[in-house]
Amino acid sequence: PLSGQLMHANAHPSSTDFFAACRIEGKQVRWLCSTQEVLDYACAWQAASRLKSARFLKVGETEPWVINSCRDPQTIADTIGCDVIPVEREALYKVYETISDEEATSEAKRWNDRSDHLANISYSDILKACKVTIAMRRALDEHQADGLSMACFAMIGDLDTTSCLALSALNDSANNIGACEGDLDAALTLYLLKAMGADFVWISNPIIHADDKIDLAHCTAPTCACSTALNYKLMRHHESGRGVS
């Protein structure tokens, strides 16, 4: 029906001429030949526009083994347009130290009550990790930011807890995202996917098996997918044996 209307209005020949002329002049142009492609392009366009105006916190430095991530906030600002605000880890720690057990109780209870199993951890470990969640949310509110990347391994040594639950909670939220290991590329990608309508986003290390199975292993996995709550166990952080993941 759409193509028929275009032909009737002589729009199709005009469009092909315009498309060809733009290509000859070296301009970027895309041919959309269905209503669905127009809708898909509109979705991608609004997501890219949101990314350009987004703001992210870079808490601490990118972990040294992360080789694929841009470390320079100015490079990201110049190429994409969004703001990346460097924040010292100690600034987040100061907020963390002001949070009482009572303030973290509801968050910790939610994790504890929905967990299938606690493996070598206690409720107090969960409570401590959930204080990180509250500290991150306050930092995002203070800077009016949309997401953050966290130097998470450095934090384990500094606070003897992990940011795994905090980053998972941010990625489960409606508007915010959280990337681990100080990975700015991951933070921008998570935000872009969420802006395109993905209802669950996360980082993972894929392990492909011979029997057509795949493990997506990481500590920032979401607790819901496609509006369905997922089962999970809480355990020590795999590499360090500390905190909760």
Side-chain angles (χ1 to χ4, degrees), residues 48-242:
S49 300
R50 284 178 60 186
L51 179 61
K52 287 181 181 179
S53 60
R55 176 176 291 176
F56 301 93
L57 305 182
K58 181 175 183 265
V59 185
E61 296 302 317
T62 305
E63 302 290 4
W65 56 83
V66 179
I67 61 173
N68 68 322
S69 182
C70 178
R71 285 166 161 72
D72 181 18
Q74 190 58 49
T75 299
I76 291 176
D78 293 340
T79 57
I80 297 178
C82 56
D83 292 332
V84 177
I85 303 173
V87 176
E88 295 292 334
R89 300 196 314 271
E90 290 75 14
L92 184 72
Y93 299 165
K94 287 181 180 178
V95 178
Y96 168 85
E97 289 164 359
T98 66
I99 298 168
S100 66
D101 289 351
E102 289 73 21
E103 290 175 289
T105 295
S106 61
E107 184 79 12
K109 190 175 185 301
R110 180 181 69 84
W111 280 103
N112 184 76
D113 292 351
R114 282 185 50 200
S115 176
D116 291 344
H117 179 64
L118 302 183
N120 300 318
I121 63 169
S122 65
Y123 178 77
S124 61
D125 296 318
I126 301 172
L127 195 65
K128 193 173 182 181
C130 288
K131 291 181 181 181
V132 179
T133 307
I134 297 172
M136 285 185 176
R137 286 173 178 160
R138 289 182 181 176
L140 291 173
D141 288 343
E142 177 186 350
H143 294 278
Q144 295 184 311
D146 301 287
L148 56 81
S149 67
M150 179 70 210
C152 55
F153 275 81
M155 194 193 79
I156 293 172
D158 295 333
L159 297 183
D160 193 31
T161 190
T162 48
S163 62
C164 306
L165 300 192
L167 298 175
S168 177
L170 291 181
N171 290 332
D172 267 340
S173 68
N175 299 311
N176 298 133
I177 58 89
C180 57
E181 300 182 12
D183 191 338
L184 286 174
D185 287 7
L188 270 61
T189 304
L190 291 169
Y191 182 83
L192 184 63
L193 289 169
K194 189 169 282 192
M196 290 178 68
D199 72 339
F200 67 103
V201 295
W202 78 100
I203 303 167
S204 73
N205 298 324
I207 305 166
I208 302 172
H209 300 281
D211 57 354
D212 293 330
K213 293 180 181 178
I214 183 169
D215 291 338
L216 299 173
H218 220 285
C219 32
T220 58
T223 63
C224 60
C226 302
S227 303
T228 302
L230 302 175
N231 297 325
Y232 61 85
K233 299 177 182 178
L234 295 180
M235 60 191 69
R236 293 293 182 192
H237 178 248
H238 176 69
E239 290 90 343
S240 68
R242 301 159 79 175

